[in-house]
Amino acid sequence: MHAWTLISFLFFTGLVALITWRITHRDDLSNTRGYFLAGRSLTFPLIAGSLLMTNLSTEQMVGLNGAAFADGLSVMAWEVVAVVALVLLALFFLPRFLRSGITTVPQLLLERFGPTAQLICNVIFLIAYAVILLPIILYSGAVGLQGMLDLPVLTGIESSTTLLWLTVWGVGLIGAIYALFGGLRTVAVSDTINAIGLLVGGLLIVYLGLDAVGDGNGIAAGWHAIQASQPERLNSLGGPDQQVPWPTLFTGVFLINLFYWSTNQQIIQRTFAARSLSEGQKGVLLTGFLKLLGPLYLVLPGIIAFQLYAGDGIAPDQAYGHLVFHLLPPWLTGFFAAVMVGAILSSFNSALNSTTTLFSLGIYKGVFRKDASESEVVKSGKVFGWIMAVASMAIAPLLAGQESLFDYLQTMNAIYFIPILAVVIVGLLTKRVPESAAIFGLIGGIVLIALGYFVPPFNAILDLTNQYHFVAGVFVLLILGMLLIGKIAPRREAWIQEDVKAVDLTPWKGAVPVGILLLVLVFAIYLAFAN
C-alpha cells in the first residue's frame, strides 16, 4: 500500500516539475522585470491559477478544515467574504496599482508618501513573512503530509519531533529551489498546473466523504445524514463562542480579507505582472468565482471528518489528513499528496519570491546599493531568499501545539495587515496627508494591536470584545489619526498619481457586471445557510 502511495506521489510531483521546466526554462531571469514580474506577461488563466494556489496552501486545507471540524460551516467566512475583497481589488485597487507600474506595495508608499514609509513597510513585511507566514506554511504542510502519507509507518521514524523537522526541511528546500532559481513565472506556471489537480482532488474528497457518510448510498444520502445529525453546525452565521461570530464579518474579518487580497505582497505580486488591466481584472474575478467553491473543499471535508471521526480523539488540524488517508486508495493518496505538496510549494515559493522582491528592490537597491545593476539586484534576492528559507525552516517546527492553526494565523496576521491596509487606503483616497501620518499608521498600528494582544493590562480589552472587533477599532483609530495629521500638517503639494504606461489600462467591459454578480452570489450563499 505504502509503495503505491509513494510511487504515485513521486510521479505526480516530478511530472509537475518537468512540465514547468519545459514551459519556463527559456525565460530571461537576468533582470528584475523578468525575475520578479514575469516580464509583465501573465494572462488571466495564469493569474487566477496562481492567485488560487498561492492562497490554497495547507494552512488553508489543513487549518480551515480543522476549524470546520471544530466549529462547522461558519468558518466559511474566510472563503466567501474573500470574494468581496477580490471584487474591490479588481475594480478599485488594481487600476491604481497598475497605473503606478509598481513591483511592490512599499513602492506605492514611496511614491505617495516618501522613502521612510517605504522602508518601514518593507521591514514589516519581511519580519512578518519570516516569523509568521513562511513557518506556518511549512508547519501546516508537514502536519498534512504526515497524515496523508502515514509518514511514521512509511519512513519508520517513530519520533514525531524528528519526523516534523525532516518533513519541514524537505518541503522547504524544494520550495526554495522553485522560487529562487525560477522566478515569478515559474511559480505561476506550477501554480496553475497544481490548481487543476487541487480542485479535482479536493472535490473528489468531498464526493467520497459524503458517500462514506451515506454508507455507500451516494452523496445525497451523505448530505442528508449530516443535516440530520449536525444541523447546528451547518449555520453560516457563527455564534459568540465560535472562531468567527457573525458580527465580525463586517469588522475585522472583512478587513483582514481586504488586506490579504488587495495589499498583501505575496498575493498581489502576480496581478502586478498582468499583461494589461483587462487581463488582471479577468484573472482576479475568475479567482472570485473559484473562491465561491471554497467551502466545498475547504470547509465541508472538516464537517465530514467530524461526522466520521469525532469519537476517534483526533485534533482538529489532523482531521483533513486523517480523512484523505482513510478515503482514498493508495495510488490516489499519493496523487493528492503530490497536489498538496504543490499547494505547499505554491504558497511557500510565492511568499519567498515576494520576500526577495521586497528585499532586493526596497532594501538592497533602495538603501544599500542604489547604483546596483539589474543582475546584482537579482543575485541579492536569491542570497536573501536562502537566508529567509533557512530561518523559516528553523522556526516552523516550533509552532507545534497550537490549538487552532488557522485561528492563530489570522490572529497574528492582523498585527501587520491592519496598519498597512489603513495606510494604503488613506494614501489612495487622499492627496495631502503627509508621510508623518503614514509612519504613525504603520508603527502606531502594530504597537496598539500588539499591546491589545499580549501586554497586561491592555490585553484585558479582549475580555470585553472579540479580537476582530478590536482590530477593526484600531483600524478606525489609525484612519482618523492619519486624517487629523493631514489636517494639522498637510503636505505642501497635492499628490497626483501619474500613469507610467507600464501596461494598457483599458478596463475589461465585463468587470463591473461580473463584480456585481459575485456580490449577489455571496449574499445568496449566506442567506441559504443562515439559521
Side-chain angles (χ1 to χ4, degrees), residues 286-309:
L286 175 57
T287 306
F289 274 107
L290 296 174
K291 291 298 286 182
L292 288 175
L293 297 174
L296 278 178
Y297 52 86
L298 291 174
V299 177
L300 186 53
I303 296 173
I304 293 171
F306 184 87
Q307 182 82 7
L308 294 173
Y309 311 119

Side-chain angles (χ1 to χ4, degrees), residues 248-269:
T248 64
L249 301 179
F250 306 98
T251 58
V253 170
F254 169 70
L255 291 173
I256 290 172
N257 268 295
L258 184 59
F259 171 88
Y260 183 89
W261 289 103
S262 67
T263 322
N264 186 5
Q265 182 68 32
Q266 175 210 10
I267 290 292
I268 61 172
Q269 188 168 330

Side-chain angles (χ1 to χ4, degrees), residues 371-384:
D371 60 343
S373 66
E374 292 278 290
S375 61
E376 288 174 333
V377 173
V378 171
K379 182 179 179 181
S380 74
K382 292 181 178 180
V383 172
F384 185 76

Side-chain angles (χ1 to χ4, degrees), residues 212-457:
V213 171
D215 294 323
N217 294 314
I219 60 174
W223 177 247
H224 291 316
I226 290 175
Q227 285 181 309
S229 61
Q230 307 182 49
E232 74 287 350
R233 292 169 53 81
L234 296 180
N235 188 358
S236 60
L237 303 178
D241 58 340
Q242 294 184 316
Q243 294 179 38
V244 189
W246 72 264
T248 64
L249 301 179
F250 306 98
T251 58
V253 170
F254 169 70
L255 291 173
I256 290 172
N257 268 295
L258 184 59
F259 171 88
Y260 183 89
W261 289 103
S262 67
T263 322
N264 186 5
Q265 182 68 32
Q266 175 210 10
I267 290 292
I268 61 172
Q269 188 168 330
R270 54 268 310 120
T271 67
F272 295 162
R275 178 180 294 175
S276 64
L277 173 59
S278 177
E279 289 294 308
Q281 288 178 320
K282 290 176 187 176
V284 169
L285 293 173
L286 175 57
T287 306
F289 274 107
L290 296 174
K291 291 298 286 182
L292 288 175
L293 297 174
L296 278 178
Y297 52 86
L298 291 174
V299 177
L300 186 53
I303 296 173
I304 293 171
F306 184 87
Q307 182 82 7
L308 294 173
Y309 311 119
D312 292 359
I314 61 174
D317 288 332
Q318 296 174 329
Y320 193 69
H322 194 78
L323 183 71
V324 171
F325 181 75
H326 284 88
L327 285 182
L328 293 182
W331 68 274
L332 272 180
T333 302
F335 157 73
F336 196 69
V339 171
M340 286 296 294
V341 167
I344 301 163
L345 296 180
S346 171
S347 284
F348 184 71
N349 58 28
S350 294
L352 204 54
N353 184 272
S354 296
T355 300
T356 61
T357 307
L358 290 163
F359 173 79
S360 299
L361 300 180
I363 305 293
Y364 182 76
K365 186 172 179 62
V367 178
F368 297 138
R369 289 283 307 278
K370 294 184 179 182
D371 60 343
S373 66
E374 292 278 290
S375 61
E376 288 174 333
V377 173
V378 171
K379 182 179 179 181
S380 74
K382 292 181 178 180
V383 172
F384 185 76
W386 280 110
I387 295 172
M388 289 288 284
V390 171
S392 62
M393 287 184 276
I395 294 172
L398 305 180
L399 296 176
Q402 293 297 325
E403 184 175 337
S404 172
L405 187 64
F406 198 78
D407 188 51
Y408 169 80
L409 173 65
Q410 302 305 337
T411 299
M412 297 301 292
N413 277 344
I415 295 175
Y416 70 102
F417 277 18
I418 295 299
I420 295 176
L421 178 64
V423 171
V424 169
I425 288 178
V426 169
L428 291 175
L429 292 179
T430 66
K431 304 298 182 185
R432 291 190 177 272
V433 172
E435 186 176 28
S436 58
I439 295 170
F440 158 76
L442 293 170
I443 297 177
I446 289 176
V447 170
L448 285 174
I449 296 175
L451 287 174
Y453 275 177
F454 306 118
V455 181

Side-chain angles (χ1 to χ4, degrees), residues 69-87:
F69 183 89
D71 279 358
L73 189 63
S74 62
V75 299
M76 77 176 192
W78 297 113
E79 289 301 294
V80 180
V81 176
V83 178
V84 180
L86 283 162
V87 171

Side-chain angles (χ1 to χ4, degrees), residues 45-76:
L46 286 176
I47 293 170
S50 190
L51 281 172
L52 187 68
M53 283 301 290
T54 300
N55 169 240
L56 293 183
S57 184
T58 42
E59 80 270 12
Q60 299 280 336
M61 301 293 284
V62 173
L64 193 51
N65 275 303
F69 183 89
D71 279 358
L73 189 63
S74 62
V75 299
M76 77 176 192

Side-chain angles (χ1 to χ4, degrees), residues 32-264:
T32 56
R33 189 171 184 267
Y35 187 77
F36 297 122
L37 283 182
R40 293 195 189 274
S41 64
L42 297 188
T43 54
F44 80 91
L46 286 176
I47 293 170
S50 190
L51 281 172
L52 187 68
M53 283 301 290
T54 300
N55 169 240
L56 293 183
S57 184
T58 42
E59 80 270 12
Q60 299 280 336
M61 301 293 284
V62 173
L64 193 51
N65 275 303
F69 183 89
D71 279 358
L73 189 63
S74 62
V75 299
M76 77 176 192
W78 297 113
E79 289 301 294
V80 180
V81 176
V83 178
V84 180
L86 283 162
V87 171
L88 289 172
L89 170 60
L91 301 183
F92 175 77
F93 289 97
L94 188 58
R96 289 160 175 80
F97 291 154
L98 294 182
R99 176 179 293 274
S100 290
I102 56 175
T103 305
T104 70
V105 172
Q107 283 183 341
L108 178 69
L109 300 191
L110 171 64
E111 177 188 323
R112 171 61 181 85
F113 294 111
T116 304
Q118 179 204 25
L119 178 61
I120 293 171
C121 188
N122 265 312
V123 171
I124 290 171
F125 266 126
L126 291 175
I127 293 174
Y129 284 2
V131 176
I132 301 172
L133 180 62
L134 290 168
I136 284 180
I137 292 170
L138 291 178
Y139 171 71
S140 61
V143 171
L145 284 177
Q146 285 184 30
M148 289 178 203
L149 296 176
D150 197 11
L151 288 181
V153 174
L154 187 64
T155 62
I157 299 174
E158 297 181 359
S159 170
S160 59
T161 302
T162 301
L163 190 59
L164 177 63
W165 278 88
L166 289 174
T167 309
V168 162
W169 279 78
V171 172
L173 288 172
I174 295 172
I177 291 170
Y178 260 102
L180 301 178
F181 288 107
L184 182 62
R185 189 163 182 266
T186 298
V187 173
V189 170
S190 62
D191 285 353
T192 304
I193 298 169
N194 281 310
I196 298 169
L198 186 67
L199 287 173
V200 172
L203 294 174
L204 180 62
I205 292 295
V206 174
Y207 174 82
L208 294 175
L210 287 174
D211 188 56
V213 171
D215 294 323
N217 294 314
I219 60 174
W223 177 247
H224 291 316
I226 290 175
Q227 285 181 309
S229 61
Q230 307 182 49
E232 74 287 350
R233 292 169 53 81
L234 296 180
N235 188 358
S236 60
L237 303 178
D241 58 340
Q242 294 184 316
Q243 294 179 38
V244 189
W246 72 264
T248 64
L249 301 179
F250 306 98
T251 58
V253 170
F254 169 70
L255 291 173
I256 290 172
N257 268 295
L258 184 59
F259 171 88
Y260 183 89
W261 289 103
S262 67
T263 322
N264 186 5

